[in-house]
Amino acid sequence: MNFQPDPDAIAVAGSVARFAEASLKPRAQAIDETGIFVAEHIPALGELGVMGMNLPERWGGAGVSPIALYLAVEALAGGCGSTVSMVTANYLATDSILLGGDDAIRERYLPEAAAGRSLGAFALTEPRAGSNPADMSTRAVREGEGYRITGVKHFISNAAYADFIVVFAKTDPAAGYKGISAFIVEPRHGGVETSAPEKTMGLRGGHVFAVAFDCWVPEHNRLGPEGSGFRTAMHVLDNGRIEVSAMCTGMAGAALDAAVSWSKIRQVDGHPIAEFQGLQWMLADMATELEAARLMGLRAASLRGSGKRYSREASMAKFLASETAGAVIDRALQIHGGYGYSRDMPLERLARDVRIMRIYEGSSEIQRNIIARTLLA
C-alpha cells in the first residue's frame, strides 16, 4: 500500500492550509461566540475550488485525488470547525447527486455547487430514525408526474440556507431499506419549513435544523431508480466518514500545535514546562495517537480512489479518529491548565466542536457494529 500524498495533493493541501490560517482561524472564535452562519466564507471557498473538491472536473469540481481531499478537509478543520462542517455537509449533498443521479441532473446542480454559487444539504436523519435509516417515516407518494414528499428530518446541516436538499424518503414502505429513494428538493418552490437553528454545544457557526416537508417534486428530481436511495446514502456516508476522520485529525492537530507552543512559553519555577518529562510524555502520546489515526484516514482515502470497497476502512478511520481527537484535545486543554478552560484560548472551543464527531455520520457504537459485521460475515 502506498497512501503517501503526491506533489499535487501536497500543493492542494498547502493552498487550503494557507487560506485556513489567513481567513478562517482569525474568525473562528468570533463565529463561535456570535453563532453566525459561516456563509461569509462560501465565495472564497468556491473560488479556491474547495466547495467542489469532492467532484470531478467534468462537473465543475477540482478533480483532486481522495488523499488531496482528505488533506484539504484536515486543513480547513484546523482553521474553523464550523466552516468545515458546512463544507462537508455540502459534499454529502453533491456526492449523492454524483453517485445516484444521471448526467442531466448532475449538470443542473453540480457546477453551481462546486463554484460556491449554490449550497446543498443532505436530509437523511429523522427524530426517530437516526442510527437506523430504514426506520424512517418520510414518504414519497406518486402524484401526477412526480411525487408528494411528506415527513420531518432532524439535525440537517445547512438546511435553512440550502438551494437544494437531497431528501431520502420511502417510496415502498413495505420493502424496508429497499424501499428508500432519494430526491432533490428545492426549498424555493415551497413546501419546506425549517426550524430555528438548534442550540448546539459546538460548531455554533455550522447550523443544523429540523426540516418539515410537504412538497411536490417532478419525477426527474429522483436520483436513480426507485429503491436505490439507501444504497446511495450508504456510499455517500462511506465518503463522509473519511471526511469526518480528516476533520478530527485537523482539529486534534491544531490542539497539539497549541499545546507544543504553550509548553515552550509557559514557565514553572523559572523553567518552561516543556522541560518536564511528564509533559513530554503527554505530548509524545498525543502525537503518536494522532499520527496513527491520520494514517488510517489516509489509507481509507487511498482505497476510496482505488475502486475497491472501503466501507470497513472508512468506519475504522472515523471511529479511531473521532475517539482519538477527543482524547488529544482534552489533554491539550489540560496542558494549558486554567488557561485552557478559558474562552480566550482555542482549546475550549475545540473541545466542544470535536464532541459531535463521535456521534454524526454514524456514532462510534454504529461504527463498531459495522466493523464487527465485516469480521463475522
Side-chain angles (χ1 to χ4, degrees):
M1 292 182 295
N2 179 14
F3 42 87
Q4 291 299 314
D6 59 29
D8 288 343
I10 292 171
V12 167
S15 66
V16 175
R18 287 188 292 273
F19 173 81
E21 184 69 26
S23 301
L24 300 186
K25 189 175 289 187
R27 290 280 295 135
Q29 189 69 14
I31 287 170
D32 178 71
E33 290 176 356
T34 63
I36 189 172
F37 184 62
V38 292
E40 65 185 84
H41 295 310
I42 293 176
L45 289 166
E47 186 175 344
L48 190 61
V50 169
M51 297 302 291
M53 203 161 276
N54 61 317
L55 300 173
E57 291 180 291
R58 179 182 179 186
W59 306 115
V64 303
S65 70
I67 286 180
L69 176 61
Y70 182 99
L71 296 176
V73 170
E74 185 179 56
L76 289 174
C80 176
S82 293
T83 300
V84 77
S85 73
M86 175 274 294
V87 171
T88 54
N90 186 66
Y91 290 168
L92 295 177
T94 54
D95 263 4
S96 299
I97 297 170
L98 179 67
L99 296 170
D102 58 23
D103 284 355
I105 206 164
R106 291 170 183 150
E107 183 62 41
R108 280 166 53 202
Y109 291 99
L110 297 184
E112 289 293 296
R117 292 189 292 267
S118 68
L119 186 67
F122 177 86
L124 179 65
T125 300
E126 296 188 3
R128 294 180 177 83
S131 295
N132 186 9
D135 287 340
M136 72 173 56
S137 59
T138 298
R139 292 287 309 277
V141 178
R142 281 196 172 269
E143 184 179 295
E145 296 182 356
Y147 296 82
R148 172 69 54 180
I149 298 176
T150 56
V152 176
K153 301 292 184 177
H154 205 184
F155 301 124
I156 308 305
S157 298
N158 298 351
Y161 314 102
D163 299 285
F164 61 93
I165 305 175
V166 177
V167 181
F168 294 84
K170 283 189 174 178
T171 46
D172 183 0
Y177 72 89
K178 294 182 179 179
I180 295 173
S181 302
F183 302 87
I184 297 179
V185 172
E186 295 185 38
R188 64 189 176 92
H189 293 311
V192 179
E193 295 185 7
T194 56
S195 69
E198 296 287 345
K199 296 179 180 179
T200 54
M201 173 182 174
L203 301 178
R204 291 174 175 170
H207 296 174
V208 298
F209 304 86
V211 189
F213 296 94
D214 186 356
C215 60
W216 183 87
V217 296
E219 185 169 3
H220 63 247
N221 275 32
R222 191 186 67 224
L223 296 177
E226 284 193 6
S228 65
F230 184 82
R231 183 172 62 252
T232 296
M234 294 304 102
H235 194 170
V236 170
L237 288 176
D238 283 344
N239 292 347
R241 286 163 184 158
I242 299 173
E243 288 150 16
V244 172
S245 170
M247 293 166 70
C248 291
T249 56
M251 291 181 187
L256 177 59
D257 290 345
V260 170
S261 296
W262 181 257
S263 71
K264 293 176 180 178
I265 63 174
R266 174 62 170 162
Q267 294 197 358
V268 174
D269 292 333
H271 296 275
I273 59 175
E275 294 181 4
F276 299 127
Q277 189 179 64
L279 187 135
Q280 292 175 3
W281 287 4
M282 289 177 69
L283 294 174
D285 287 347
M286 293 158 67
T288 302
E289 293 163 12
L290 176 56
E291 185 67 10
R294 191 167 187 262
L295 288 171
M296 184 164 282
L298 288 168
R299 175 175 179 248
S302 176
L303 286 171
R304 176 178 175 177
S306 71
K308 299 177 182 177
R309 187 174 175 85
Y310 54 94
S311 294
R312 182 179 72 168
E313 289 76 12
S315 287
M316 286 179 168
K318 194 266 184 185
F319 170 52
L320 179 63
S322 62
E323 296 288 335
T324 297
V328 167
I329 292 171
D330 185 71
R331 275 178 282 177
L333 192 155
Q334 187 75 9
I335 287 169
H336 281 73
Y339 292 98
Y341 197 64
S342 167
R343 297 192 70 178
D344 292 332
M345 292 283 189
L347 282 305
E348 181 268 349
R349 170 171 49 84
L350 287 168
R352 286 186 287 104
D353 284 353
V354 81
R355 185 59 185 86
I356 189 61
M357 303 299 162
R358 285 180 270 169
I359 299 173
Y360 73 4
E361 310 288 357
S363 67
S364 290
E365 291 72 27
I366 292 300
Q367 304 314 316
R368 288 183 174 101
N369 289 346
I370 293 170
I371 296 163
R373 279 200 298 268
T374 67
L375 297 174
L376 299 172

